[in-house]
Every structure is written in structure tokens, then in C-alpha cells.
Amino acid sequence: MLDILDGLERTKFCGEFTTDDLDSEVVAHGWVANRRDFGDLVFVDLRDRTGKLQVVFDRSKFLDDYDKVDKLRNEFVISVCGKLVKREEDTIDPKSKTGYIEIRAVKMKVLAKSLPIPFQINEDDSPSDSVRLKYRYLDIRRDVVMQKLLLRNEICKIVRDFFDNNSFIEVETPILGKSTPEGARDYLVPSRVFPNKFFALPQSPQLYKQLLMISGIDRYYQIAKCFRDEDLRADRQPEFTQVDMEMSFVDKEEQVMQITEKLFVKIFKDTIGYDLGTLPRITYDEAMSKYGSDKPDTRFGLELVDISDLAKDCTLVPFKNAVLQGGSVRVINGKGMFEKLSRTELEKLVTFVKGTGAPGMSYITFEEDTPKSPLLKFFTKEQIDEIIKRTNATKGDVIFFVADAKNKIVLTALGKLRLHLAEKFDLIDKSKFNALWVVDFPEFEYSDEEERFVALHHPFTAPKDDCIKYLLTSPEKVYAKAYDIVINGYEVGGGSIRIHDPELQAKMFEALGMDDKKINELFGFFIEAFKYGAPPHGGLAFGLDRLVMLLSGSSDIKSVIAFPKIQTSADLVMEAPDFVTDKQIEEIHISLIKNNSEDKI
Amino acid sequence: MLDILDGLERTKFCGEFTTDDLDSEVVAHGWVANRRDFGDLVFVDLRDRTGKLQVVFDRSKFLDDYDKVDKLRNEFVISVCGKLVKREEDTIDPKSKTGYIEIRAVKMKVLAKSLPIPFQINEDDSPSDSVRLKYRYLDIRRDVVMQKLLLRNEICKIVRDFFDNNSFIEVETPILGKSTPEGARDYLVPSRVFPNKFFALPQSPQLYKQLLMISGIDRYYQIAKCFRDEDLRADRQPEFTQVDMEMSFVDKEEQVMQITEKLFVKIFKDTIGYDLGTLPRITYDEAMSKYGSDKPDTRFGLELVDISDLAKDCTLVPFKNAVLQGGSVRVINGKGMFEKLSRTELEKLVTFVKGTGAPGMSYITFEEDTPKSPLLKFFTKEQIDEIIKRTNATKGDVIFFVADAKNKIVLTALGKLRLHLAEKFDLIDKSKFNALWVVDFPEFEYSDEEERFVALHHPFTAPKDDCIKYLLTSPEKVYAKAYDIVINGYEVGGGSIRIHDPELQAKMFEALGMDDKKINELFGFFIEAFKYGAPPHGGLAFGLDRLVMLLSGSSDIKSVIAFPKIQTSADLVMEAPDFVTDKQIEEIHISLIKNNSEDKI
């Protein structure tokens, strides 16, 4: 250790002292976490990133000017020299890892003073986000925040070592890239040298990493910054970090999934000692029909049940029509929820379901063993019995019904209701991490907005071999060699085997409705690259921020980023974005369109 | 290994097979580097990132359809299965690490075909930069390029492991930051949410890393992308990668220098087996007066000699005046150069020196032991003898004289002449790496352009303790706790002990001519942060690209970056920057200033 300050060399970090160090002269640096003043005896908790250590200043034994001790205040930075000793019996703190020891200070130097700070660091003070993020440098001193940054560092190390041990090469790809139209909105950087042209910040290194496969890098990884100029949700950031990998000479999903799974198992084991086990594989279709979601949270039941075959013969017109028009009627059995749901609350659930886009929701209650509902009269006894059988409904349950001519609306509604009920009735074991693979995704989804099929993942995803024939004729029948890794209902990562045949890639663009001119303009260089010997390859990317968030038991993505942006995309520490000078604006050949909107920061 | 292709699982990378694998059935994947066709016997060099392996296709022993072998062409991607055997005596290639072995193929699968490629990969073909960078994904297949990317990966791993072992924490800092006025031109990103405001891409994580010290991270590192929108020189890129570190509880330069030095010694040892030894320390003043540069290349002599004390008493008015006006007269002895320099070439050197900004150059030649020069008549015999003594001039030498009233002009001119002569006469031992520290930099330099003192490093650099008193009165007397690491004449990195006292920081801004309003506007948040307990700290950053360039024996920074930008800042692979849609431009509240300049890509 090099830390020297007036000859005081740090022995260890505060939290690293143990009873092994007893009776030796030690030096520690840190912040005054708190101080208890008994006149001739002052106790200070000295804090650094590793923890706290008690320091005792005894006027009778202090060799230095005791006045400095009297003037100590919280968050002063000091360096202390003294003997490490056992604490007196009555001052032991068994909850702290240094709770049995303390430094009896003989010398001390104040390295920096501190004004009173805007919120408490020691206690479980919860200042507002805007205060905490403005003073993020103080917020990080709080153990709960510091631990997240340390965990993030630890995970990065595990990730890098893992890829390194598996022959992956770290390659940096550019941040100043090109705007590509598929996907989210790009952040743009006006070029000074090329007036009216723009760089774009990458949404992912997708094209670059595929070019690296064509280069023969064979196995690539990168912990990469990615950017999306979208309106933020709680778990999104305009700049986020992605663990990105790609490997050559693979053509089956399992090849990428297995190596990724090993990494995830290792991360959970090595950081929090949790055994993820073998990850179940579930197809997209099964995930949707069982959980109404392609990122199912499997920590609880409440699975969806399809009763379309029964509903199509019932006498309730909306149910019947939903099925006849190609949609479905599906139910969830709210096990034991009857007692807990008042009439008003049931109606609130109906409103909730309507808010997801469904036309409505009906339900059958089981106050006793026999069902009660206005619905009953539209079904035969046999049909009702079959519904009860399929849902295992008994006394105390409530069966929720959603019907629509569009399957997706039914599935989404019940999928969201399922999560809502689980939260409401606390059905989720928060100590569990349920990780699984969702596989066999459709290659396309129909965009109502654009009135055409768009790529569900991205246009470089290889279709399943036996689906290639449907590419141009029946895109809805095409499944993809794509896979997502889902943990506790979060899509943590995803990837695919890529198209490596330039003809198939061109056909894929055609299926997406691009003509030759557009293909050439946007991806001409990319298709050309594939003509010079592109190995089969596939890969995956996962969100580092989200993984750290999950592992640290947080649900706020901001908490695991050193300097996060808030909802508006602003950085409160630096006060960015900000105005720039006219000269700077002129140099990049743009002018500003004046706008009356208020400053929103 | 997971690589499976129709049941063919890769045994090893091509270059990793050894005689230990003899007589076993093996599978290898790769690119056809070349093929020699003898009809019933075809030899193929199979290439992957690790090297090449010879594959022999013998029609009589091939179990598969031999037609595929006939159709193989260069850069086809194939998978081969067969027995690994010793080569026939006459086909051994002792220069190749797999030169004694080959695969006798029994099965082969073509994974991808290739069109004829635009330049040769196998041979030492040197296509132009513009072709190589357009087809960078093919360029990387060349061993000389691939090795650089692999070296870069190796160095990153050494760097990370080193910092990890020394208790440094990796923390990511934002890419979307705030424009700060000191320094180079920023790349700007217009904000969509905040009309007329801009993010800026960071020139370095300087402010963030200092905030992390205030946060208590204690020891930070990051391999960080940084950006500068400047016109490019050969060794500059608009986006570059910096190894960035900062540590708390240090107040002496040596504390940061020693830990950095250990890392550099380790990198050179572990990658190319070179022993850097202990790095000499040289002060800025000494570097300037001896080498005319603050990044001296010490692999050769040609040191500068000050003869101002003699020149001030000579009778040549420009020399005399130069000294009297506070400048100097300095010389370099071009040892043994007389024979090699014709009159014309000597005059070319004068032109070269004038090109550096000096008013001119004179010289004394030593065809024999006695000097010859029109200069002689302005000096006494004793003065000339003293000049000869100081420069050790003898028969065959040429002494070059530069005089100016500005010291800096003399030093710069002779510093550049020194490098020029060394190149011209091949005085540099290219197998050597001379690394050293330049220390005791001035805190300020006078900017003729701005007519004021500006920070030589940056305004957060701590002045030497005994110079603080001159801050506001005699800035030219203030030296800084700053240090640069220089290798072979390249400034590879630099850093400083930082100011951690908010009052001193405010005074520093004042010394730079900022008034309170401006300080507050630009760095208000930063000065405030220092009021809440900022530990003493210091750090350093070094250019990763430049270091990899040096270690790989290259002088082209582009060669060590996977997807570099060319001189104009354009990316030739992606064709970025590029035009974007009107909608994209509208969304960020700007309009384009139309410009008649041609498309320059």
C-alpha cells in the first residue's frame, strides 16, 4: 500500500481489521460517520467503502493536540494512528464485523472538513430521489448504495474472467456510429466535418459484432455502453450497459444458451451464493398461453387456462364471437381470493383489466362450493363443470374471464392481471430467483401501426430451418432461432442464431417489405460483407444494469448506476443537458428551433 | 467447447494443435487461406484467429463427396474432420508452429462460400488505407491486424487484473455528459426532451472520477471511451480509449507514479517480455533544456546545449539580442554528420527549422578538426573553444545554432530538429522502449492567443505546496504536482495530485481569470462537492490505443482499433456520419444550415 500522509501509511481499509491485528499500531483513513462526545473521551465511527471502525480518543492518552478532536464533525475526513485493541465488554457491537475491536488513537490528522450535509448517511434516511441524485457523491457514501457499486464491479469481473476463460476476445466497437432505422430512436451527433450529416450513438453493437465474426474473431465479448432516446420508464436509462457476446461456428440455439447459462449460474453463485439450478426452457407459445407474457414470472402460479373450446358453444354472444373470429376466452383461477376481494375491489380489477386494452372482464365466485355469477346462465352445467375441473376451482376461489377476438389482447390482459394479483396478495417469494429460457419466438410480429410484419427481435435473426419456406408467403408461420433469458419476470437478455447466408439475409429484408434500393442504402455494406465467407454464428446480450438491480434486490435501475439519469433523461449532478455557446452550435452547422417550452429540469 | 456443426465438434483452434494430438481424430473450423491443387491431392491452409493448419484432401481416402473439395476457393469457411498426422519430411514448414503436422481430411463441410476478395490476406499485400478500412472485416483476417486486436485484449486483461489486485473498483461514468469549456472541442448531442440544450460526449471522466473520490470509492479505475472533435493527426482518433484511475489518501506524486509504474512494467513484461526497468524521473525544465520537448525520446543523444552565456557577449546582434531580451541561444552537435550532409541538405535543415517557427538556423562545420562557419567571426577564440568543449565537437561534426528572444521557440525548434536528425540518420534503436517520468510541470502556460495564463494540464491540478503563494501574483512561478509518462517520445499518459481544498480550487479558477459568476456557472456543483469532506486524491490516465500501438511496433493508431475512423473522422465500414431523416432532425429541435461543400467522404 502506498497511501502515505505525513508519514502515516494506511494499514488496512476500516472494515478489514480483525482480531488478528490486535495490539498492533495501525493507521486508518476515512470519514467521521458519527461521533459521541463524553468530554475527555470521544468515540468516532470511522467509515470507508469497506465498513466502519470505532476509534476512541482518550484525552489522557492522546499524544496530539486534543483540540482537533473536539472540533471533529460528521463527514470530516481524517487519518488516525493508534493501537488496535479489544473493545470493553459493554461497548461490543456483535452486529458489526468490526464490533469487537477499536483503535485507541494517539495521533490524528484532519484531511478535510465538511459542512453539515443535506441528508443523513449513517441512518436509514430516505431523502427524495432528486436530492439524492443531485448529491449523488454523498448518496454513494451510504452503505446500501456503495454495496451496489461494489457488487457491479464484482459482476463485471466475473463476466470478464468467464469469457476470457472460454476463449472470448474483448473488442471495443465504436460509439460514434451510424443511424439505423429499425429499432428505437437514436441519439444523434451532428458532424462538424461533414455538414448536415450525423453520427448516431449505438443502440447495440449488433452490426459490428457480426462483422467481427466475419473477421474471424471467432468469439467476441464486450461490456458495452448502448443508447436509446426513448421516454424513460422506471427500469430504463437513456444510456445503459450491455454485456454483449457473439460466437462463430454455432448454428443451434442451445450452443449459445448453454454457455450463457453457465455464466449466469456462476454469477449468482459467486456473488450471492444462490444456486440457479438448470434453467427450464419454455417456448414462446407456451409462455404466452400459460402466463400471458413472453417474460413470465414463474415464482407463483395463477396460470392462464384456455376455455375457448367451451366458450364457442356457449350462448354469450361476445364470448362466442371472440372464439369464432379467431380469438379466445381464457380464465385465471384466483385461488382463495373470494374472501379477500370485496365487490368494490372486484370492480376495480375489472377496471384494471380494461386498462390493459381488453373489452372487459367477467368472473365466477365460489363463496361456497357452488359457483355464483351472471355468466352461469350462458353455459351448460357440463361446460361449467369442465371449467371448474380445468381450473381446480373450489370454495373460496374466483375465476376471472377475459374474451376478445384478438388473442393477444386476452393474453396480455390476463398476463397483467396475474402479476397484479400476485403483487396485491403478496404471492411472490422474494427470496427466489426463477430464471428460465423462452425459446422458439416468432420471427415476425404484425404491427398495427405500420400495417405490416416487423421483426420481433431484429432482421438478422435466423428463422428456423423448416420455416424458411414461409418467409415471403406466410410470415406468421415463421419461428426464429431466438431465445430470451428471463429472471423473475424481467427479460434480462436475449439473442439468436444469426443469418449468415447473404441470400437468406436479402430475403429476410424483402419479407420486411424493403425494396432493393432501401436494402442497399441501409444495409448494403452489411450484405456485401456476408459474401466473403461468413461463418455460422450466434450470440446474446444482457442488460448489466438490470442484472445488478435484480441481484441487489432493488427495483430501481438508477440505484445500480454511479451517475444515473432521471426520468427526463437529465443528469442532476452535472446539470446536463445544458445550453452551449453560439460558436459551438455554428461549428456543427445547425441552428436551434426556438421553443416556448419551460425548462423542465 | 460447444461448437457443433452437424455433429462435428471443434477439437481445438487451428493454431493450437501440437504433436500431442498426433494420430487422433480431430475437427477444425476455419477459412481457406490458400489451396494447392494436385488433382487427386489438394492441400489447404486452414486459418482461424490462432494461426494456420495444413489440411490434406486425398481423393482415395476422402469418405465424402470430393466434388466439394474441387470447388473450394480462398476464404471459403469450412469444417474439416480427419486424423492429425505428422507431415511428410518434404512438406515440413519449420517456421510455422503447426509446420510439422497436418490433418488428413475424411469429411468436410462448406459452411460459407466467398467471392474473390478485394485484397490478398495471405501475403504481405498492402492495400491502401481506404480499401482496407472499407473492408475492415477482411483486413482483420490478416495476421498482422488480428495480432494487434489480440494484444489489445491481453493488455486490457492485465490492466484490469492489476487494478483489481490493488483494491481499485471499476466504475462506469456517463457518456452523455455536460459540455465544459476548458479543453478541446466537444461532440454535442442535442436533447429531444430539453429543446435547445445539449449533452456533450466526455473528453475524459475527470470530474466524475474526482466526485467518486468524494463518494468514498477510494480507488477507481475504468477503461473509458473519450471523445474530442478535433481535426485529426495521424496518432489521434475522435473517439479513443483511456485507462483512467484515481486514488484517495495520496498527496505526493510518487504515490500515484509508483503504482502506475508497476502496471507498465507488468504490461511490457507479460505481453512482449520486455523489461522496462525503473523509470527515470526528469523534471519538465530539464526535459525542455536537454531535449527541447516535454516528451523526450531518450533512445538517442543529440542533446541541446545552452550557450546563451557565451552568445550574450558575442558580436552577432540577433544572438546577443535574443539573450538580452530573455531568450536564448542553443546548439545541437550533429555528431559525424558533416560527411552525410551536402550543402543543399544543410539548407534543407535550415528550412525545416524555420518551419517550426524559429527565425533561422546557423551552423559550424568540422570538415577537419577546425571549425568553419561565417559565425566564427562574431565569437572570440575562447568562446568558440568553450562551445566546442560543451558539445564535444570534433572532426566530422556539425553544430546547429538557434537563437530567439523566446526560449520556447528555440527549444521547440531544436527539439524538432533533434527528432528529425535522428530519423534521417537512423539513430534510433527500434528494439528499445525508453520509458520515463516527466515531473514538476509548470501549473500554467501563457496563451498568446488568449493573452492570459491557462492551465497546462487542467484546473484541478494541485500546485506544489511552496508555490501556492504565487498563484495570484506570479503564475509563471507556480509548479504543479503533475507527471507524465513518456515512452519513446510519446506522451502515453499523465496525471496529477488534485486540489481537494475548495478554497484553493476557487483560487485556482480565479488565477485562470474566471470571475465568481463564471466559476459558479461552470463548476459550481464541483466546488460545492468539495465542501462535504473531500479526501486528498490524485490519479492518472493513459491512452490505451497509443500503448497498444507502441507495444505492437506500429506507428498508426488506426491499426490497433477494430473499427477506426479515418483522418476526416469518417467510419468507412458503416459509412458514418450519414444523412438522417427530416423527422429525426425535427425531433431534436434543430434545423440544418445548408452548406455548399461537397460530400467529403
Side-chain angles (χ1 to χ4, degrees), chain B residues 118-120 123-140 142 145 556 558-559 564 566-567 572-573:
Chain B
F119 50 84
Q120 289 310 305
E123 290 132 60
D124 258 328
D125 194 1
S126 290
S128 72
D129 253 23
S130 60
V131 172
R132 290 199 302 107
L133 293 178
K134 178 170 157 60
Y135 296 100
R136 181 64 167 172
Y137 47 89
L138 300 178
D139 192 31
I140 293 174
R142 299 164 74 216
V145 181
D556 179 8
K558 292 196 296 300
S559 69
I566 59 166
Q567 203 87 359
L572 295 185
V573 174

Side-chain angles (χ1 to χ4, degrees), chain B residues 270-535:
Chain B
D270 290 0
T271 56
I272 59 167
Y274 190 92
D275 181 8
L276 272 191
T278 302
L279 275 57
R281 273 76 172 149
I282 176 172
T283 66
Y284 171 87
D285 288 340
E286 190 185 349
M288 289 306 291
S289 67
K290 258 189 168 170
Y291 303 103
S293 169
D294 60 357
K295 44 184 188 205
D297 189 339
T298 59
R299 288 174 298 173
F300 61 95
L302 293 181
E303 293 178 9
L304 281 59
V305 175
D306 191 352
I307 58 153
S308 303
D309 56 328
L310 307 173
K312 103 174 160 338
D313 299 325
C314 77
T315 55
L316 184 60
V317 177
F319 276 26
K320 208 176 163 71
N321 281 353
V323 181
L324 292 176
Q325 288 164 23
S328 57
V329 182
R330 292 169 201 258
V331 301
I332 285 180
N333 180 9
K335 202 80 203 157
M337 291 179 189
F338 178 75
E339 286 283 329
K340 299 173 196 155
L341 286 168
S342 65
R343 183 112 216 137
T344 324
E345 283 178 311
L346 278 167
E347 284 311 309
K348 268 192 196 158
L349 291 178
V350 174
T351 310
F352 172 86
V353 165
K354 282 183 178 167
T356 69
M361 180 171 75
S362 319
Y363 44 87
I364 298 180
T365 58
F366 291 79
E367 187 172 359
E368 298 302 328
D369 281 332
T370 49
K372 265 194 199 166
S373 171
L375 273 185
L376 297 178
K377 61 175 176 289
F378 301 107
F379 286 89
T380 63
K381 168 105 183 25
E382 289 69 33
Q383 287 168 336
I384 293 293
D385 284 348
E386 178 63 19
I387 292 171
I388 291 173
K389 192 179 150 205
R390 288 191 196 172
T391 55
N392 288 318
T394 52
K395 182 181 168 185
D397 295 356
V398 183
I399 304 179
F400 301 99
F401 289 69
V402 176
D404 195 80
K406 282 193 174 148
N407 248 316
K408 202 176 160 189
I409 286 180
V410 178
L411 293 170
T412 305
L414 286 174
K416 288 188 176 169
L417 176 66
R418 181 178 173 268
L419 293 175
H420 183 72
L421 292 172
E423 275 301 330
K424 188 174 172 73
F425 295 115
D426 202 16
L427 302 180
I428 301 173
D429 177 354
K430 305 273 182 186
S431 73
K432 265 170 117 177
F433 289 96
N434 278 22
L436 55 90
W437 288 102
V438 179
V439 298
D440 297 355
F441 277 85
E443 178 83 43
F444 304 99
E445 61 180 346
Y446 191 78
S447 163
D448 290 327
E449 195 187 330
E450 303 191 38
E451 297 184 334
R452 64 174 182 101
F453 280 93
V454 297
L456 186 72
H457 277 84
H458 54 59
F460 316 114
T461 306
K464 296 257 184 189
D465 298 334
D466 55 6
C467 298
I468 293 176
K469 55 178 179 274
Y470 300 124
L471 258 186
L472 298 178
T473 54
S474 315
E476 73 285 356
K477 285 191 194 161
V478 181
Y479 284 83
K481 295 185 180 176
Y483 33 82
D484 276 1
I485 186 165
V486 172
I487 303 179
N488 291 357
Y490 285 97
E491 181 210 320
V492 172
S496 61
I497 300 298
R498 324 299 183 184
I499 297 170
H500 74 282
D501 172 358
E503 283 170 38
L504 181 57
Q505 185 66 67
K507 206 188 249 185
M508 179 69 193
F509 285 131
E510 195 186 336
L512 289 167
M514 297 191 203
D515 59 25
D516 283 355
K517 185 169 165 285
K518 193 171 175 200
I519 296 172
N520 216 33
E521 214 174 278
L522 298 175
F523 297 111
F525 74 96
F526 197 61
I527 292 189
E528 188 180 9
F530 279 90
K531 293 179 180 164
Y532 299 107

Side-chain angles (χ1 to χ4, degrees), chain B residues 529-567:
Chain B
F530 279 90
K531 293 179 180 164
Y532 299 107
H537 60 288
L540 176 135
F542 62 88
L544 179 66
D545 309 301
R546 198 171 281 180
L547 181 65
V548 181
M549 182 184 96
L550 279 169
L551 276 163
S552 66
S554 171
S555 59
D556 179 8
I557 203 120
K558 292 196 296 300
S559 69
V560 299
I561 297 171
F563 298 103
K565 306 282 196 286
I566 59 166
Q567 203 87 359

Side-chain angles (χ1 to χ4, degrees), chain A residues 345-357:
Chain A
E345 283 179 310
L346 277 167
E347 283 312 310
K348 268 192 195 159
L349 290 179
V350 173
T351 310
F352 173 86
V353 165
K354 280 182 178 167
T356 70

Side-chain angles (χ1 to χ4, degrees), chain A residues 483-523:
Chain A
Y483 33 82
D484 275 1
I485 186 164
V486 172
I487 302 178
N488 291 357
Y490 286 97
E491 181 211 319
V492 172
S496 61
I497 300 298
R498 325 297 183 184
I499 298 170
H500 74 284
D501 173 358
E503 284 171 36
L504 181 57
Q505 185 65 65
K507 206 188 247 185
M508 180 67 193
F509 285 130
E510 194 185 335
L512 289 167
M514 296 189 202
D515 60 25
D516 283 355
K517 185 167 163 289
K518 193 171 175 198
I519 295 172
N520 217 33
E521 215 173 275
L522 297 176
F523 296 111

Side-chain angles (χ1 to χ4, degrees), chain B residues 3-73:
Chain B
D3 293 335
I4 300 165
L5 213 59
D6 292 351
L8 295 181
E9 188 166 340
R10 172 155 66 182
T11 313
K12 287 184 174 182
F13 284 103
C14 292
E16 289 178 347
F17 286 101
T18 67
T19 47
D20 293 349
D21 304 298
L22 281 179
D23 300 321
S24 56
E25 283 280 311
V26 300
V27 173
H29 308 320
W31 282 258
V32 174
N34 68 64
R35 106 186 236 292
R36 299 176 301 284
D37 192 339
F38 302 97
D40 287 350
L41 210 59
V42 170
F43 291 85
V44 158
D45 283 338
L46 192 66
R47 186 195 62 236
D48 67 18
R49 76 172 195 230
T50 63
K52 288 178 196 164
L53 181 64
Q54 178 162 292
V55 180
V56 185
F57 295 95
D58 182 339
R59 187 185 293 266
S60 65
K61 287 167 188 154
F62 197 62
L63 302 178
D64 217 345
D65 177 10
Y66 203 75
D67 194 39
K68 292 188 296 193
V69 178
D70 287 331
K71 287 180 176 160
L72 282 185
R73 291 295 174 269

